[in-house]
Amino acid sequence: MKSVAALALIGSAAAFAPAQTGKASTKLNAFEDELGAQPPLGFYDPLGMLNGDCSQERFDRLRYVEIKHGRIAMLAFLGQITTRGGLHLGGNIDYSGDSFDSFPNGIAALIGPDSIPTAGLVQIIALIGLLECGFMRDVPGAGNEFVGDFRNGYIDFGWDQFDEETKLQKRAIELNNGRAAMFGILGLMVHEEIVPLGYDADLPIIGHLA
């Protein structure tokens, strides 16, 4: 999970680039008006992932990664605050009679002496693989409008009824919420790991992680 969060932050860094000089500046100017470049940072690329002869194809790939990691992070953060708020699935997780709420929250639910059974972890990974290969991808020729549009011609919750301005606004909201969630879930993971070191902060919404 730590590596996923790190990759998420690297992917998100490509969305934003400080002013450059010379040829690099000319290239970057092509992306200054892309969705997500907004005050106060503007187009900000601290890792220089768009330096040099960067094509639109490379930018689209980085944006695709950023959006997908943002969506994963939003689900992860929501899962954290939901389970830490005391909401769990009913019933048992295995035939031994272990209930869902008998396992710890956060990283400890996946790694550690009190983690869920291996069979449960395998099922989670299998589900992620199924979603990744079968649904969470951009199918060419399916009429998708933008990078990260996974409707693929069969999922539409009223998107086509919005005008272009509303569509851009909603895409910007998703992008920014995803960026915030990537930092949020990384922060929770870091705090959870430093609790054994004697630092147990009372975090907003989440409370104590111990």
Side-chain angles (χ1 to χ4, degrees):
M1 290 181 66
K2 296 178 182 177
S3 61
V4 171
L7 289 173
L9 291 177
I10 292 174
S12 67
F16 319 83
Q20 306 285 329
T21 59
K23 182 183 292 185
S25 178
T26 303
K27 277 291 183 183
L28 292 175
N29 286 340
F31 305 114
E32 286 183 349
D33 295 326
E34 289 284 352
L35 185 71
Q38 58 192 39
L41 296 178
F43 192 66
Y44 182 56
D45 179 19
L47 299 182
M49 301 182 73
L50 297 176
N51 289 348
D53 189 16
C54 181
S55 64
Q56 183 67 44
E57 182 180 2
R58 173 167 172 75
F59 178 86
D60 289 343
R61 172 59 185 170
L62 293 172
R63 172 53 53 84
Y64 177 90
V65 172
E66 177 186 23
I67 291 175
K68 178 173 282 190
H69 285 166
R71 291 169 178 171
I72 294 171
M74 285 188 281
L75 289 173
F77 188 84
L78 181 61
Q80 278 269 15
I81 64 176
T82 299
T83 54
R84 292 188 184 281
L87 298 178
H88 299 84
L89 293 175
N92 300 324
I93 196 173
D94 55 25
Y95 291 117
S96 300
D98 299 315
S99 62
F100 283 95
D101 59 5
S102 66
F103 293 91
N105 301 306
I107 300 176
L110 302 176
I111 304 172
D114 299 319
S115 61
I116 62 176
T118 302
L121 184 60
V122 170
Q123 292 177 49
I124 293 174
I125 295 174
L127 176 60
I128 293 173
L130 175 64
L131 293 174
E132 179 74 15
C133 297
F135 302 98
M136 300 299 146
R137 60 192 183 95
D138 190 346
V139 178
N144 298 333
E145 298 179 9
F146 52 88
V147 175
D149 183 357
F150 295 160
R151 291 177 299 157
N152 297 323
Y154 62 88
I155 300 177
D156 190 346
F157 297 103
W159 179 260
D160 290 333
Q161 299 177 9
F162 298 130
D163 57 37
E164 292 303 316
E165 182 178 356
T166 302
K167 288 181 179 179
L168 283 175
Q169 180 186 35
K170 290 186 175 296
R171 287 175 58 198
I173 291 172
E174 179 194 29
L175 192 60
N176 286 326
N177 285 346
R179 291 168 177 171
M182 284 188 276
F183 281 104
I185 191 62
L186 179 62
L188 288 177
M189 292 165 62
V190 170
H191 275 81
E192 184 176 345
E193 289 299 297
I194 64 177
V195 166
L197 302 178
Y199 180 78
D200 182 16
D202 186 7
L203 303 176
I205 303 177
I206 299 293
H208 292 279
L209 299 184

